[in-house]
């Protein structure tokens, strides 16, 4: 009788862990309507705060190369599930020193902000978490090959952007930014 | 799939998530058996709302270590709530309802009046539902959680026989010389600690599930206190691990996925129990 | 010095007096039976003796070094859930809990004692069964075994045979009498006056008039005679 019970418990465990076989890889599929629109947009950028580590590291994570994009990335968020993407971006914000200098590729929603005081435009890629109630974003700075607004994506459109991770200070806050960024959309309409 | 998991495991926060998830699931299932049998199942919910309120106050006061406020407040509330069980003007369930809803409303009100971050709804939502909070732990939080969990498990093992005696028949235990008041206080304090830790795993609103479901599932199959406790711990850990793995792979919120795994296990155990009874044991 | 002595005891609950000025004493080896009508305060008295309720007045003195951990108790109703998962062995062992303050685990001595008491009650084959699935009589014997594990000097029983059929009732009474013969002091509440006068050495009658004395004194007293007549007459008419 006791053995029967242990067998029953084992069966239960097997059934529950069978759910781990799901391999639904959902790339960051973001619903633009769910963005709460509170990305941290800096008021001013101090050029002197840009750190000098901008070389692209030589080692590349082979598992991260998807195959269709051109730029190999160290931290490829496009192959992770949305929960992992959110966690990874959170850690970029919390401990940016682990990521400085690494190439980051992420997919999300394009958002832009024009600061009327300084006349500068800021651009960011926004992602939501699994319940779509929280959003985070990373600012990016495209290379000079792009001219705003013609070469830039549509507001609220889905983009895939890759750049070198960096941070800068503005006032009391440290902001994260992707420099030398290039856009590689999956829809394939606006890459150079 | 194994390669993908291995790749994910390179990230430290994934490893932390698994460590903390297993420890919290273990602790909450052990105390879950006691809570369910003492008919205080809803206390998990009540205390988690109190913890939420305390967290709001701590955030507004800009405390660097929020635990300093959350833990004592939750422990005191636990003691008050569990003591009013037996003979009080306000009965246990009404007391839980009053304190829990009051704390939740107060906490949310505070966070609105004194916003601490630009994304208020997101913070509240994340705390209530734990969508990715298990994956956003820092190393310090992991160490704290590990220490507290190990302490809880040790306390449970050392006081196991006393806890069984007091849970089974408190009147008899008191009459024959067991210090039931001290035992109840200890149980209350331990539950409070577990609730605060579990908020990181599944969020405030879903903590009750983490406490109740493994115990109820185990009771469908086993019928001695020791085997129910062990089975409950086992099931809880398995469901927590499966829940985290599924949420990472499929991109679902971690908290709800773990609870869904618990519910599935309960369904399977109920079925198993029915079959066992049907075969005339 | 008596094992237990009540002096000018007043009892009640919810600020209502039930009994005032009660005096009685129990010596080691006595078999005291507490009888009386419903609502006369028998269970309240027992709970007061156990320290579960505070008396309104008077005091309870203990002698012979009697401590709480020497007392075993069989309550009238155990408010237990229907499907409480506990094996018989775990329940009987839990009676030993009052004994040691700081040791976390039961030693060999406790397990031996528990097994011995289960054997005395005739339930040793049920040791791994689930308590809630057993019959009323079996459950009562299990709880009595548990009370025995806790009782080193004194055993308090509250209506130990309520709800049991006559054969099991008789067995239970024989069991209790044997325990008393072995030297255990017994205080028993019983509705069954016949059993009380048959087995007890002392009787405490509670009600409008309280009486305390030996069995012989009770049978000769007015209170005793009236009560016996009512009860036996009631049975004859029923």
């Amino acid at each position: 009788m006791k053995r029967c019970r242990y067998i029953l418990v084992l069966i239960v465990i097997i059934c529950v862990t069978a759910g781990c076989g799901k391999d639904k890889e959902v790339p960051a599929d973001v619903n633009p309507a769910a963005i709460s629109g509170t990305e941290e947009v800096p008021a001013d950028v101090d050029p002197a705060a840009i750190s000098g580590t901008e070389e692209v590291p030589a080692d590349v994570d082979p598992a991260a190369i998807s195959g269709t994009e051109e730029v190999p990335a160290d931290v490829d968020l496009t192959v992770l599930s949305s929960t992992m993407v959110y966690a990874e971006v959170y850690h970029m914000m919390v401990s940016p020193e682990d990521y400085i200098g690494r190439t980051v590729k992420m997919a999300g929603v394009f958002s832009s902000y024009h600061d009327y005081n300084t006349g500068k435009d800021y651009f960011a890629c926004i992602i939501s978490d699994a319940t779509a109630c929280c959003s985070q974003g990373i600012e990016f700075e495209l290379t000079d090959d792009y001219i705003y607004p013609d070469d830039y994506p549509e507001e609220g459109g889905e983009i895939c952007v890759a750049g070198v991770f960096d941070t800068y200070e503005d006032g009391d806050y440290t902001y994260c930014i992707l420099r030398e960024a290039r856009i590689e959309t999956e829809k394939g309409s606006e890459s150079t | 799939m194994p390669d993908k998991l291995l790749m994910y495991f390179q990230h430290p926060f994934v490893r932390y998530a698994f460590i903390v998830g297993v420890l919290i699931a273990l602790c909450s299932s052990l105390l879950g058996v006691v809570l369910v049998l003492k008919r205080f199942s809803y206390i998990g919910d009540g205390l988690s709302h109190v913890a939420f309120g305390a967290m709001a106050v701590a955030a507004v006061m800009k405390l660097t270590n929020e635990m300093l406020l959350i833990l004592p407040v939750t422990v005191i509330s636990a003691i008050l709530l569990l003591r009013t069980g037996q003979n009080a003007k306000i009965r246990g369930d009404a007391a839980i309802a009053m304190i829990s809803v009051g704390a939740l409303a107060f906490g949310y009100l505070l966070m609105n009046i004194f916003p601490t971050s630009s994304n208020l709804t997101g913070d509240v939502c994340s705390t209530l539902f734990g969508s990715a909070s298990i994956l956003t732990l820092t190393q310090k939080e992991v160490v704290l959680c590990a220490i507290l969990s190990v302490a809880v498990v040790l306390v449970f093992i050392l006081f196991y026989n006393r806890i069984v005696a007091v849970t089974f028949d408190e009147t008899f235990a008191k009459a024959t010389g067991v210090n039931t008041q001290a035992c109840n206080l200890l149980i209350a304090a331990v539950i409070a600690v577990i609730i605060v830790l579990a908020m990181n795993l599944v969020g405030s609103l879903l903590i009750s599930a983490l406490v109740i479901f493994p115990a109820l599932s185990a009771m469908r199959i086993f019928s001695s206190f020791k085997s129910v406790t062990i089975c409950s711990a086992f099931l809880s850990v398995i469901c927590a691990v499966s829940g985290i793995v599924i949420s990472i792979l499929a991109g679902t919120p971690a908290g709800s996925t773990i609870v869904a795994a618990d519910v599935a296990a309960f369904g399977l155990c109920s079925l198993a129990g029915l079959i066992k009874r049907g075969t005339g044991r | 010095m008596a094992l237990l002595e009540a002096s000018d005891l007043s009892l009640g609950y919810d600020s209502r007096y039930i009994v005032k000025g009660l005096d009685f004493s129990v010596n080691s080896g006595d078999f005291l039976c507490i009888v009386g009508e419903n609502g006369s305060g028998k269970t309240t008295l027992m709970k007061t003796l156990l320290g579960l309720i505070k008396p309104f007045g008077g005091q309870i003195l203990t002698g012979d070094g009697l401590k709480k951990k020497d007392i075993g108790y069989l309550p009238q109703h155990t408010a237990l859930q229907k499907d409480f998962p506990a094996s018989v062995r775990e329940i009987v062992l839990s009676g030993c809990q009052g004994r040691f303050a700081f040791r976390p685990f039961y030693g060999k001595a406790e397990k031996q004692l528990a097994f011995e008491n289960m054997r005395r009650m005739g339930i040793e084959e049920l040791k791994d069964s689930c308590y809630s699935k057993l019959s009323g009589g079996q459950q009562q014997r299990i709880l009595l075994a548990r009370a025995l594990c806790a009782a080193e000097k004194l055993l308090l029983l509250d209506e130990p045979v309520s709800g049991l059929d006559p054969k099991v009732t008789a067995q239970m009474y024989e069991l209790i009498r044997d325990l008393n013969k072995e030297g255990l002091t017994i205080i028993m509440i019983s509705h069954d006056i016949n059993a009380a006068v048959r087995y007890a050495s002392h009787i405490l009658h509670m009600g409008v008039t309280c009486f305390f004395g030996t069995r012989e004194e009770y049978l000769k007293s007015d209170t005793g005679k009236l009560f016996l007549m009512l009860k036996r007459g009631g049975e004859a008419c029923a």
Side-chain angles (χ1 to χ4, degrees), chain B residues 210-226:
Chain B
L210 200 64
V211 164
I212 300 170
F213 273 104
L216 288 177
S217 310
M219 290 206 293
R220 297 280 151 259
I221 309 182
F222 290 103
S223 54
S224 89
F225 203 95
K226 188 183 272 193

Side-chain angles (χ1 to χ4, degrees), chain B residues 6 21 27 34 42 71 95 105 119 135 139 152 185 211 213 254 256 260 272:
Chain B
L6 267 160
C27 296
V34 173
Y42 226 66
L71 270 178
N119 186 8
L135 289 162
Q139 195 178 37
V152 165
L185 282 179
V211 164
F213 273 104
S256 326

Side-chain angles (χ1 to χ4, degrees), chain B residues 170-181, chain C residues 3-4 46-54 60-73 94-100 146-156:
Chain B
E170 191 168 330
T171 318
F172 177 88
K174 191 166 175 194
T176 53
V178 177
N179 191 350
T180 51
Q181 202 168 15
Chain C
L3 194 62
L4 200 69
M46 186 161 272
K47 288 194 174 163
T48 312
L49 290 176
L50 287 165
L52 298 170
I53 303 178
K54 281 200 166 32
I60 298 169
L61 301 159
T62 54
D64 282 351
L66 182 72
K67 290 203 179 51
K68 263 199 162 168
K69 63 182 185 61
D70 301 320
I71 302 177
Y73 174 47
S94 74
C96 301
Q97 189 57 238
R99 222 60 89 58
F100 46 93
R146 179 185 67 163
L148 284 176
C149 282
E152 290 194 36
K153 294 183 181 164
L154 176 62
L155 182 62
L156 271 69

